[in-house]
């Protein structure tokens, strides 16, 4: 497993986020630690994707506690697994990537929800992340 060097251009970040979402989902569904999953990868993981997945995994208890509080009437355990992965990823990015605008992070998360989750997920993700952004930014 290798980590590529360099910064990711904005137009490439969607693919990076998509891969990060997939890895967060995979680690949870397989019940394995993110570090173990990353170590087992055959393809190089982009440096930004590595930062996202390792950061979201390390901060998952805090992220989940915030999501639990802000997602009215929805426990984190009750959310679809892909929604959890998207929300954890974007919550980490909102809290730790101050160089990227709130609108870009939320829009990317909504697009991932539209592409990979249920019809209602994009609105749910948008609403929860708007509240997260208010708290962490």
């Amino acid at each position: 497993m290798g980590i590529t060097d360099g910064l990711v251009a904005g137009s490439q970040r969607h693919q990076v986020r998509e891969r990060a979402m997939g890895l967060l989902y995979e680690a949870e569904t397989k019940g394995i630690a993110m570090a173990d999953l990353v170590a087992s990868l055959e393809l190089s993981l982009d440096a930004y994707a590595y930062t996202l997945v390792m950061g979201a995994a390390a901060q998952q208890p805090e992220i989940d506690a915030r999501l639990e509080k802000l997602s009215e009437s929805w426990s984190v355990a009750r959310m679809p697994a892909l929604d959890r992965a998207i929300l954890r990823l974007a919550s980490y990015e909102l809290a730790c990537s101050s160089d990227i605008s709130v609108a870009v992070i939320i829009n990317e998360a909504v697009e991932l929800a539209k592409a990979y989750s249920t019809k209602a997920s994009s609105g749910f993700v948008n609403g929860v992340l708007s509240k997260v952004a208010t708290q962490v930014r």
Side-chain angles (χ1 to χ4, degrees):
M1 191 290 306
I3 301 170
T4 60
D5 293 339
L7 296 175
V8 180
S11 61
Q12 296 172 320
R13 284 200 176 164
H14 179 77
Q15 292 173 324
V16 169
R17 288 181 182 102
E18 192 171 45
R19 184 152 190 219
M21 176 204 64
L23 291 170
L24 288 168
Y25 175 78
E26 183 178 353
E28 180 179 6
T29 57
K30 290 182 175 178
I32 60 175
M34 183 56 69
D36 294 337
L37 178 60
V38 169
S40 74
L41 295 176
E42 292 181 24
L43 297 175
S44 294
L45 185 60
D46 176 88
Y48 191 63
Y50 179 85
T51 297
L52 291 175
V53 297
M54 295 306 290
Q59 293 184 17
Q60 185 175 323
E62 296 87 357
I63 290 169
D64 284 359
R66 181 176 292 118
L67 293 174
E68 193 86 31
K69 183 179 176 183
L70 299 175
S71 60
E72 301 166 13
S73 305
W74 279 91
S75 67
V76 172
R78 208 175 134 214
M79 294 174 191
L82 280 170
D83 290 2
R84 279 194 303 269
I86 294 165
L87 287 167
R88 287 170 177 158
L89 172 66
S91 293
Y92 174 77
E93 199 169 16
L94 283 166
C96 299
S97 297
S98 60
D99 59 321
I100 303 169
S101 78
V102 168
V104 167
I105 294 169
I106 293 175
N107 183 57
E108 285 285 330
V110 168
E111 291 303 315
L112 289 171
K114 284 180 183 177
Y116 293 100
S117 198
T118 68
K119 251 186 174 176
S121 291
S122 61
F124 176 72
V125 164
N126 185 44
V128 172
L129 290 177
S130 294
K131 293 176 186 178
V132 170
T134 300
Q135 280 198 349
V136 301
R137 292 270 180 118

